[in-house]
Amino acid sequence: MDEGIVHPFRGIRSIAAMSCASNGMAANEMRKVRMTLDGIVRMTLLGFLVSGAAAQVSAQSPPLLADGAEQSSRSSQAQSQVELNRFSLLSGTSIDVVPDWIEREQMPLPPSPRLAPFAPRVTFLEFSALENPRMHSVLRIATTTNSFLGGDEVALDTQMHSVEGSGNSLVDYLFYFFFSPPRDCLDGGSEAFRKAKSQAGTPDQAVSSDLNIPTYCKHAPTLADFYSRELSPGITFQFTNGAERASGIYPEFYLAPMEKVEANGLTFYVFEAQGRRELDLATVDHFNLPDELQGAQADFFLAIGAPSPFPFVLDRQRKNVPLIEVAYGGIGLGPSMRRPVDVKTHFRFVLSVSLFPFS
């Protein structure tokens, strides 16, 4: 990886968690999840209350991988000397990050009302959006209800790798919930669709023909709008076979294989969508990105986690287990640059995890 192009999610150093079983939510019980992104982000999720004694996460950092133990030790020592800022959600969930990361203004819970009728049936409980202007990266952290009950690993993998635009794929999931188009674009597209429907039928007659109304967005020169544009430059409202739909206008993505991570009582399923569209000079200039990022590509990640075993089947001893969802957008090297990314090597590096043991 060339110097000067930094990708924080590629350097996940640790995911640590603790949990106790639950039959109800007791005030004096908690579960912590700590995720450190290459010494840049340390995330502590509090408020998942489960029965049993609360465990303590050791401050001692274990070796990472055999060939990186010494480097991991130095990194951990450096991390301990870095001053962190804490951001908290209303439920008590807190996120510790270095000063390079800033929190965006408070945002309403996804999805947007314009997208809600068409999005997967998921209820967001809490949501936080962070940005790192120096590294041109964004991080979204949320807790949600569990929409995967009744399935299994195979069903989840199949869903996330389904065809873009099907409504349930990884790219759709990111579009509806984490990197949606700007609000004015959604409003404009919805209004254009309403007018087209009105012209295609009468108030007393249903629309008889299929409609497909694409709207391309004007994106502000912000990181949030940059990743929204790279995921989908616009939105399409459709009326087909008597049903309305809204989906993104997607460029080409490479979807990496699903990865499963077990971390101290938590199970995470991690997905990646690598953009295939290279950044041109006009894009770099519009979003105030460094010139050397011409030829690079946007890279999206989604991690979905819960206390192990992941609740695909309803367990009456663990009712209503919320899911932890982490979405990340960063800029990776493109094929026209000096060192193209080997996807498999890159993804394994992303998932090189070091666990903090319980004390």
Side-chain angles (χ1 to χ4, degrees):
M1 183 170 173
D2 290 345
E3 294 182 2
I5 300 178
V6 187
H7 195 319
F9 208 79
R10 288 183 182 168
I12 290 181
R13 292 298 182 194
S14 65
I15 296 176
M18 64 182 188
S19 64
C20 331
S22 176
N23 193 20
M25 300 232 177
N28 63 340
E29 298 164 347
M30 69 180 180
R31 176 171 57 80
K32 284 187 178 181
V33 180
R34 175 174 295 165
M35 178 180 289
T36 301
L37 307 181
D38 202 21
I40 300 163
V41 177
R42 186 177 66 193
M43 176 177 70
T44 306
L45 297 177
L46 305 174
F48 290 87
L49 309 179
V50 283
S51 71
Q56 296 296 325
V57 177
S58 171
Q60 180 181 0
S61 178
L64 191 71
L65 300 176
D67 57 353
E70 183 178 350
Q71 180 180 356
S72 174
S73 176
R74 289 197 302 269
S75 176
S76 298
Q77 292 174 9
Q79 291 171 26
S80 65
Q81 298 174 1
V82 174
E83 182 179 354
L84 301 176
N85 292 338
R86 172 164 292 185
F87 302 98
S88 298
L89 299 177
L90 294 177
S91 67
T93 298
S94 63
I95 306 129
D96 290 340
V97 297
V98 296
D100 286 336
W101 287 90
I102 58 176
E103 187 174 25
R104 293 190 63 200
E105 69 279 2
Q106 188 172 0
M107 302 171 63
L109 295 176
S112 163
R114 297 294 189 187
L115 296 176
F118 318 106
R121 294 296 174 253
V122 180
T123 299
F124 275 67
L125 306 175
E126 35 186 15
F127 185 88
S128 180
L130 303 179
E131 296 182 353
N132 190 322
R134 185 179 68 83
M135 302 182 68
H136 323 295
S137 301
V138 295
L139 189 68
R140 311 286 189 246
I141 304 166
T143 57
T144 73
T145 55
N146 186 356
S147 63
F148 305 109
L149 284 171
D152 53 24
E153 290 184 11
V154 174
L156 175 59
D157 190 16
T158 300
Q159 172 186 327
M160 290 298 174
H161 285 86
S162 59
V163 177
E164 299 157 10
S166 63
N168 285 299
S169 71
L170 169 61
V171 177
D172 291 316
Y173 206 86
L174 293 170
F175 172 81
Y176 288 124
F177 299 125
F178 295 103
F179 303 103
S180 302
R183 180 174 177 178
D184 60 347
C185 185
L186 292 176
D187 291 343
S190 178
E191 179 62 17
F193 180 63
R194 185 192 67 78
K195 290 181 178 178
K197 280 182 61 181
S198 177
Q199 294 171 1
T202 66
D204 299 323
Q205 180 182 355
V207 177
S208 58
S209 60
D210 291 348
L211 290 177
N212 189 321
I213 309 299
T215 299
Y216 287 86
C217 303
K218 293 182 179 179
H219 293 87
T222 65
L223 278 176
D225 274 24
F226 168 73
Y227 285 103
S228 168
R229 177 188 180 276
E230 290 306 301
L231 185 73
S232 169
I235 182 171
T236 294
F237 285 91
Q238 298 172 303
F239 186 91
T240 305
N241 298 326
E244 294 184 7
R245 295 182 63 242
S247 63
I249 303 172
Y250 302 124
E252 182 182 358
F253 288 95
Y254 170 79
L255 302 184
M258 180 181 77
E259 295 284 348
K260 181 178 180 180
V261 176
E262 299 283 355
N264 279 357
L266 286 179
T267 300
F268 278 93
Y269 294 95
V270 186
F271 305 89
E272 179 189 20
Q274 289 186 354
R276 291 308 203 196
R277 181 172 58 187
E278 297 183 12
L279 303 184
D280 57 23
L281 181 59
T283 299
V284 166
D285 286 345
H286 179 74
F287 291 101
N288 300 313
L289 299 172
D291 288 347
E292 58 266 26
L293 288 182
Q294 289 184 67
Q297 299 163 332
D299 206 354
F300 297 90
F301 291 87
L302 175 67
I304 302 173
S308 301
F310 191 92
F312 287 114
V313 178
L314 181 63
D315 182 350
R316 295 192 176 278
Q317 302 302 315
R318 303 169 65 233
K319 293 182 179 180
N320 302 319
V321 176
L323 301 185
I324 306 162
E325 303 203 17
V326 182
Y328 169 82
I331 300 176
L333 300 178
S336 66
M337 303 184 77
R338 241 176 233 187
R339 296 189 208 165
V341 174
D342 177 88
V343 176
K344 184 175 292 187
T345 301
H346 164 204
F347 210 59
R348 286 178 177 173
F349 182 49
V350 169
L351 295 172
S352 61
V353 176
S354 174
L355 304 179
F356 290 102
F358 296 137
S359 58

